[in-house]
Amino acid sequence: MATRTETEPPALHVADSHDLIRVQGARGNNLKDVSVEVPKRRLTVFTGVSGSGKSSLVFGTIAAEAQRMINETYSAFVQGFMPALARPEADLLEGLTTAIIVDQEGMGSNPRSTVGTATVANAMLRILFSRLGQPHIGSPNAYSFNVPSVRASGAITIERGE
């Protein structure tokens, strides 16, 4: 005899009680009274022409206020060592929680460096694909690195030119 049990959804964390970051009346740099609602827990991409205010909105307004709010949680002693951050120019900033800010600056001398290479996520993904992937060309080692593709034994003879 099967019994039916009612399951309740898990209780929401206080940070999940509001699902949007609301910005109203943002001003500064190229922003002129911009209002947006950004969904939380989603990958959100800001696009637009150069100089349209994307960076001002994301880094100068949303990220700056999130960082300022985090800094306020530290003791007065610790705050004395941190730079004082002014409130961004906006009528309303609501729904902000702790933020991880990934800047758009280059991470090194190689212009092809990404967050994946800096965090070693690319290496882990390559290892995962080398173990589980089904390559269309070559062996599973085609996805891996630091795996010798040629095995040999014996001596190597090198001929030198004149």
Side-chain angles (χ1 to χ4, degrees):
M1 180 174 175
T3 60
R4 183 172 175 237
T5 59
E6 296 291 327
T7 59
E8 294 182 16
L12 290 177
H13 187 276
V14 69
D16 295 331
S17 63
H18 43 276
D19 292 333
L20 294 172
I21 296 172
R22 288 184 182 83
V23 179
Q24 291 180 351
R27 299 170 299 280
N29 296 335
N30 291 342
L31 300 176
K32 308 282 190 247
D33 242 6
V34 172
S35 296
V36 295
E37 290 184 344
V38 181
K40 287 186 176 181
R41 295 177 304 282
R42 300 289 184 268
L43 177 64
T44 303
V45 179
F46 289 83
T47 63
V49 298
S50 178
S52 62
K54 304 175 298 289
S55 294
S56 296
L57 178 64
V58 174
F59 296 112
T61 303
I62 298 172
E65 179 65 5
Q67 184 66 50
R68 193 190 66 74
M69 289 171 58
I70 290 170
N71 290 355
E72 283 183 348
T73 65
Y74 300 134
S75 68
F77 177 76
V78 172
Q79 286 182 22
F81 294 102
M82 303 179 81
L85 302 172
R87 283 188 182 269
E89 290 186 50
D91 296 336
L92 174 72
L93 283 164
E94 182 179 74
L96 290 175
T97 54
T98 304
I100 297 174
I101 302 159
V102 180
D103 202 354
Q104 59 191 10
E105 307 257 336
M107 291 181 284
S109 59
N110 186 349
R112 292 165 44 146
S113 292
T114 64
V115 173
T117 55
T119 60
V120 195
N122 282 359
M124 294 300 171
L125 286 173
R126 290 181 76 173
I127 290 170
L128 175 69
F129 286 130
S130 74
R131 303 299 185 264
L132 302 176
Q134 296 295 322
H136 298 282
I137 299 172
S139 68
N141 290 344
Y143 288 109
S144 192
F145 63 97
N146 290 338
V147 176
S149 57
V150 177
R151 297 183 195 273
S153 61
I156 297 175
T157 303
I158 300 173
E159 294 183 17
R160 296 183 186 222
E162 293 180 20

